Amino acid sequence: MKSKFALILAGTAALSCMTACDDINEADRFVPVQPVESNRTVLLEDYTGQLCRNCPEAHEIIEGLEKQYGDRFIAVSIHAGSFGVAAGSSTLFEGLMQPQGTGMADKRGITEYPQGVIDGGKPLGRSAWAASVLSALEIPATCEISGSVTYTGSDATIAIDLLLGESFHGKIGMWVVEDNIVSIQQNGAQLVMQYTHNNVWRGSVTPDVWGEDVSGNLGEKEELAFNYTLDKTWKPENCKLVVFVTNNNGDYMQAASIPFKAAE
Amino acid sequence: MKRFLTAAAGLLAFGFGMQAFDAEILGSKVEFHGSLQTDMLFPEKDDAIGSKTDNGKFNTNTYLDLWAQGTQWSAGFRLEYLEHPLPGFDDPGFKGWGVPYFYIKGRPVDGLEITAGDFYEQFGSGIVFRAYEDRALGIDNAVRGGRVRVTALKGVTFKALAGFQRRYWYWSTRYMTAGADIEADLSQWWKSLAKSQWRWTLGGSWVYNRQPEPDPAIMVPGENLRLNTPRNVSAFDARTQLSYKGFNLYGEWAHKSQDPTEDNNFTYKAGNAAMLSLGWNGGGKTFLVQARRSDNMAYRFDRTASGNSGFINNLPPFTTQHTYTLPSLYPYATQLAGEWAFQGEAAVLFKRHTPLGGRYGTRLKVNASLAYTLPHADKSMPLGSNGASNAFFKTGDLIYRDVNVTVEKRLSRPFTLTLMYMNQFFDKAAIQGEGDRIHANIFVADGRWTISPKYVLRAELQYLNTKQDDRDWLDGLVEFTFAPHWTLAASDLWNVGRTNTHYYNFGVTGSFGPQRFTVSYGRTRAGFNCSGGVCRWVPATRGFAIGYNYSF
């Protein structure tokens, strides 16, 4: 009786083994997703580092999302943590980690690299970025951001227009971001000496990196003006201003990227 | 200081107040038992080592287990307080407090045990299933559900379980785990085997994981496409162990079905692992060689999980787990992507009154470990692809090597000396994500002087020599024991090669029956704390620490 009992149990387990796998053929692995029409621009904060082996894979994902969504997607790569190389720490190559970088990562709760924060949400591994960007685009934006940034030498003059679709009190943040910086980057087991870094966070126009207070009423156009001095090592022709607006709950309302243009 | 004294007083009061006791319930004797484990830190800011107080001025990981034991049943629960966890336990979701573990277990008939509630379990070596707790690493993937253990058939143990696994303070019903394991001791069935000194066991396991579509879905970046991920992932395992007198042979093979996860860049390759271990001991000599190959065998119940959480299985380490400070400065962590790992050890006891044994005997041990990656990693393959193909016997890069020789000799009646030399290669970038390829020579001298039956003095001196990373280290420890209750210790880990930083520590340990406590003050270096092939990053700290354990 005992042996029958044991054999029945073993047999049940064996049968279960044969029925409990779901192998998926190559032809069935990808399912189409409806594209989204959106008036929102989503902002991805990419927490990264020049010594981070897996971060180039995250950069490739960003490139894919930029191609897919155009100006509806903005990425900012914030070098931080123990994988970051501090700016000015080497004469052989340029370090891209600004003093504020690690504090920004700590504020967001970044625990590993690379991780991304989409529209101020929780940190996500890179495999979740594409889906989260799609979800964020489904939320209608309630303001529009436009403006201009002109520079003469290292001095930049910033003019921002906010057209509000609702009354709100919140914050406006402005980050200077630079493309086409050639420096080192760990890529897997290899240290690449001439790696092209894009979307690199350089600094904040507002003293608080997360923005300064702004408010307005439905239908109003808020016109804001700022001045900013770039570091002499930055190339203004490769820079852009990433502007984002959050409400008092910290929810992202809109973002925009404004290229720097030389003053005529 | 006030908080420190209050905590210490509270623990002492608890320890002297709580004891095991018996009671009679419904005519049956019931015993009540428990255990308390608490580790506390009162951190201080120390810019020289990067110690912070961002998580508050009092941190603790505290666990209280209470259970009742009847004749044919037991039941219990555990209270955990992790609301202000120790530094390094800052995974999102780790913080919290409550009763995350409770169970009732019964043996209604001989040979049958049933558990309902939370439980831990392991199949074979754990390659396909291991639900366990490791408090030092913050790991707890207990199953909440039901388990049956059948030992009614002579020589056969059968287990079956199903439930939802713990991930910090969550037990999502979206992810179900089930499994069964059978192990048979053939010497119980074959008379000729039973009469001889041969023992032969055969075992097999099956584990099943059900997962819904990930939320959010796994999208292909740059395309309006999402991945179609398998709802059911299974793993199988077969193993055998053969032993004869001092000889022991163990072999295990495991297979996992398609399982696209964060660990393998969502590729669709099946996983597999094979392990072989051969050992012999007798006549004061031991010998062991082991080899294991694993490829894509990280098995999680949530395919989007990362870090140390969400595992169904555990890949045991195949490198020596050192206990001395400097040999464990660069600890190896099992490579989830896949690895070839080898370990060999030979030990001999030269008996006393022999030329090599001397007056009291000498123990000599030689140990070596090697770990290689596989030639190609799944993570480098495109999302949704078949993953990387690796020929079975081909290895990739050497990422870890450790050859060490230990001699333990009693030089006189009261004095024993242990000397160790270790040559280590550690590819820090491959194992920890960044850093140098470190070549180190490590020397350890450990002397123990039994001054009298009541007093023992132990001293260690260690030196690590390397041209990479933080370069050379020196470590010293002096420990004085007043038997049976007290031990005083002072140590200093000194980075002589680059930073000139001292990581000093002074402590006292008391042991009174079931109670044991440690009170210490000093600095702890930032680094990886590893156990069983799994590692956790621990930041640098300075401050008072209290550790207390009480079982009743």
Side-chain angles (χ1 to χ4, degrees):
Chain A
M1 180 61 190
K2 285 178 184 176
S3 57
K4 280 182 189 169
F5 174 62
L7 283 169
I8 288 167
L9 284 171
T12 306
L15 276 173
S16 302
C17 294
M18 290 188 273
T19 56
C21 300
D22 263 354
D23 279 2
I24 298 179
N25 293 324
E26 279 184 74
D28 300 325
R29 290 180 191 163
F30 300 99
V31 177
V33 172
Q34 191 68 19
V36 171
E37 295 289 329
S38 178
N39 67 343
R40 168 180 287 272
T41 296
V42 172
L43 174 61
L44 164 69
E45 296 163 35
D46 160 38
Y47 290 89
T48 188
Q50 286 170 277
L51 302 179
C52 161
R53 296 159 58 93
N54 298 321
C55 288
E57 291 174 16
H59 302 159
E60 284 180 23
I61 291 172
I62 288 171
E63 282 173 24
L65 291 169
E66 285 172 337
K67 279 187 194 139
Q68 185 177 3
Y69 295 113
D71 58 8
R72 289 291 156 216
F73 171 78
I74 299 169
V76 177
S77 291
I78 300 161
H79 290 247
S82 58
F83 296 108
V85 178
S89 64
S90 172
T91 53
L92 299 175
F93 53 82
E94 185 175 358
L96 301 178
M97 183 168 71
Q98 300 300 327
Q100 303 93 322
T102 300
M104 293 170 76
D106 289 345
K107 168 87 175 167
R108 290 303 198 199
I110 302 300
T111 54
E112 55 189 65
Y113 291 82
Q115 270 190 325
V117 169
I118 289 161
D119 278 359
K122 61 180 185 179
L124 296 171
R126 60 193 183 278
S127 62
W129 291 358
S132 293
V133 167
L134 182 66
S135 294
L137 283 169
E138 290 171 352
I139 304 168
T142 53
C143 75
E144 287 176 25
I145 303 172
S146 60
S148 65
V149 181
T150 54
Y151 67 89
T152 304
S154 298
D155 296 318
T157 303
I158 301 166
I160 303 291
D161 296 329
L162 293 183
L163 183 60
L164 302 175
E166 63 178 25
S167 299
F168 88 112
H169 296 278
K171 288 192 183 291
I172 181 167
M174 285 162 284
W175 294 340
V176 175
V177 173
E178 187 174 346
D179 291 330
N180 290 318
I181 304 171
V182 177
S183 185
I184 65 157
Q185 173 66 51
Q186 188 75 37
N187 187 0
Q190 190 189 6
L191 181 67
V192 178
M193 301 304 292
Q194 307 281 314
Y195 184 91
T196 301
H197 294 267
N198 291 315
N199 307 313
V200 176
W201 193 95
R202 289 299 210 179
S204 171
V205 172
T206 54
D208 182 345
V209 300
W210 305 111
E212 66 177 32
D213 291 339
V214 68
S215 61
N217 295 314
L218 168 66
E220 280 183 1
K221 185 177 176 181
E222 298 294 321
E223 294 176 350
L224 307 164
F226 302 89
N227 292 310
Y228 185 77
T229 303
L230 285 77
D231 188 280
K232 288 186 172 50
T233 61
W234 306 349
K235 293 181 184 167
E237 64 272 22
N238 291 339
C239 288
K240 53 199 175 190
L241 188 73
V242 170
V243 185
F244 58 92
V245 174
T246 58
N247 64 18
N248 257 4
N249 295 328
D251 301 323
Y252 273 56
M253 297 173 64
Q254 185 61 286
S257 175
I258 304 170
F260 277 46
K261 286 191 176 148
E264 289 168 9
Chain B
M1 179 54 82
K2 194 177 168 186
R3 284 196 189 98
F4 168 76
L5 291 172
T6 305
L11 286 172
L12 283 171
F14 179 90
F16 286 108
M18 288 298 295
Q19 302 178 46
F21 62 95
D22 299 346
E24 197 161 301
I25 298 176
L26 299 175
S28 297
K29 185 181 161 191
V30 178
E31 296 174 1
F32 291 88
H33 297 274
S35 71
L36 171 67
Q37 178 186 337
T38 182
D39 293 287
M40 296 184 243
L41 178 70
F42 301 84
E44 297 171 359
K45 198 164 181 293
D46 186 340
D47 292 332
I49 62 171
S51 172
K52 298 178 186 176
T53 55
D54 294 352
N55 291 337
K57 292 188 178 171
F58 172 68
N59 306 128
T60 181
N61 290 5
T62 297
Y63 306 85
L64 174 64
D65 286 88
L66 295 169
W67 68 93
Q69 179 76 52
T71 314
Q72 285 179 286
W73 62 273
S74 64
F77 66 91
R78 181 167 66 232
L79 171 70
E80 294 181 9
Y81 184 82
L82 305 172
E83 192 62 35
H84 301 93
L86 295 172
F89 291 88
D90 47 13
D91 319 18
F94 186 85
K95 259 191 188 181
W97 73 276
V99 179
Y101 185 86
F102 51 87
Y103 70 95
I104 182 162
K105 184 160 61 177
R107 289 187 300 279
V109 296
D110 280 346
L112 176 65
E113 179 189 277
I114 301 173
T115 305
D118 297 287
F119 55 88
Y120 303 108
E121 184 58 78
Q122 179 170 327
F123 295 164
S125 65
I127 282 180
V128 292
F129 183 79
R130 186 179 182 207
Y132 71 113
E133 180 194 29
D134 188 323
R135 294 174 184 176
L137 297 179
I139 291 174
D140 190 332
N141 62 341
V143 180
R144 176 167 290 178
R147 174 184 60 191
V148 167
R149 266 195 195 143
V150 180
T151 53
L153 186 62
K154 189 172 76 170
V156 176
T157 303
F158 175 79
K159 305 177 221 180
L161 56 88
F164 310 102
Q165 288 188 265
R166 179 182 179 186
R167 187 176 176 203
Y168 302 123
W169 297 91
Y170 305 100
W171 294 260
S172 175
T173 55
R174 286 161 48 87
Y175 312 103
M176 196 195 84
T177 303
D181 179 87
I182 188 163
E183 192 157 292
D185 180 357
L186 300 183
S187 57
Q188 300 281 327
W189 290 357
W190 285 353
K191 284 184 186 165
S192 53
L193 211 56
K195 283 179 187 168
S196 73
Q197 292 186 61
W198 287 92
R199 290 287 304 276
W200 186 15
T201 60
L202 286 175
S205 313
W206 158 75
V207 180
Y208 161 73
N209 170 237
R210 184 201 71 201
Q211 288 192 39
E213 186 67 45
D215 181 21
I218 309 302
M219 298 280 298
V220 180
E223 310 279 347
N224 289 312
L225 296 169
R226 67 165 176 83
L227 283 189
N228 178 18
T229 54
R231 298 293 174 276
N232 307 305
V233 179
S234 288
F236 314 86
D237 156 272
R239 57 191 187 267
T240 187
Q241 181 158 7
L242 192 63
S243 61
Y244 176 72
K245 293 186 181 175
F247 163 84
N248 187 66
L249 175 71
Y250 180 83
E252 188 168 358
W253 173 84
H255 173 90
K256 181 179 67 136
S257 65
Q258 274 182 359
D259 184 20
T261 65
E262 185 77 56
D263 297 313
N264 59 25
N265 197 36
F266 297 94
T267 52
Y268 285 68
K269 187 176 77 178
N272 60 79
M275 183 163 83
L276 197 62
S277 173
L278 175 65
W280 175 78
N281 74 83
K285 302 178 192 63
T286 62
F287 173 79
L288 175 72
V289 286
Q290 297 177 306
R292 185 187 69 207
R293 180 188 186 277
S294 63
D295 187 357
N296 189 27
M297 275 305 290
Y299 190 16
R300 300 191 198 244
F301 55 84
D302 174 359
R303 65 178 74 262
T304 63
S306 60
N308 285 341
S309 72
F311 279 103
I312 294 173
N313 70 342
N314 171 250
L315 297 168
F318 252 51
T319 56
T320 308
Q321 307 290 288
H322 293 287
T323 52
Y324 288 115
T325 302
L326 293 183
S328 56
L329 202 72
Y330 299 112
Y332 181 70
T334 305
Q335 299 300 294
L336 298 179
E339 62 180 18
W340 260 111
F342 304 90
Q343 186 175 183
E345 182 170 294
V348 61
L349 171 65
F350 298 108
K351 291 180 182 171
R352 56 186 187 159
H353 306 305
T354 60
L356 288 172
R359 188 171 174 186
Y360 299 101
T362 302
R363 195 176 299 274
L364 170 70
K365 185 175 80 171
V366 180
N367 174 279
S369 308
L370 290 169
Y372 295 84
T373 61
L374 297 180
H376 308 290
D378 293 323
K379 265 192 168 313
S380 63
M381 304 304 288
L383 204 110
S385 67
N386 287 331
S389 177
N390 291 300
F392 188 86
F393 288 107
K394 275 213 162 233
T395 59
D397 298 326
L398 175 70
I399 56 173
Y400 185 84
R401 183 189 62 233
D402 161 8
V403 179
N404 59 87
V405 178
T406 306
V407 174
E408 184 185 320
K409 187 171 182 61
R410 195 169 181 188
L411 295 176
S412 65
R413 188 173 286 278
F415 186 70
T416 303
L417 180 66
T418 301
L419 299 174
M420 176 182 162
Y421 165 72
M422 177 164 139
N423 177 275
Q424 185 183 40
F425 168 70
F426 185 87
D427 187 336
K428 200 172 176 201
I431 297 168
Q432 294 180 355
E434 56 88 23
D436 300 321
R437 297 163 80 110
I438 296 163
H439 299 263
N441 291 295
I442 303 166
F443 306 87
V444 175
D446 176 356
R448 180 187 164 94
W449 180 23
T450 306
I451 302 166
S452 73
K454 215 177 163 188
Y455 302 116
V456 177
L457 177 67
R458 194 171 80 84
E460 279 177 23
L461 190 61
Q462 304 178 34
Y463 183 65
L464 184 149
N465 165 253
T466 180
K467 291 180 183 163
Q468 293 85 34
D469 201 42
D470 286 336
R471 302 206 179 97
D472 292 10
W473 291 85
L474 196 59
D475 182 75
L477 165 76
V478 175
E479 197 176 84
F480 194 70
T481 299
F482 304 82
H485 298 303
W486 298 101
T487 301
L488 301 176
S491 67
D492 185 25
L493 173 63
W494 179 19
N495 182 219
V496 297
R498 195 173 69 85
T499 67
N500 200 32
T501 305
H502 289 264
Y503 296 89
Y504 48 81
N505 198 284
F506 308 97
V508 57
T509 301
S511 184
F512 294 86
Q515 295 191 75
R516 180 185 160 85
F517 65 85
T518 303
V519 178
S520 63
Y521 177 82
R523 286 171 163 175
T524 304
R525 171 186 163 270
F528 283 91
N529 176 20
C530 296
S531 173
V534 180
C535 298
R536 169 174 284 277
W537 171 256
V538 178
T541 57
R542 189 187 83 187
F544 274 102
I546 300 178
Y548 179 75
N549 285 272
Y550 178 44
S551 298
F552 56 91

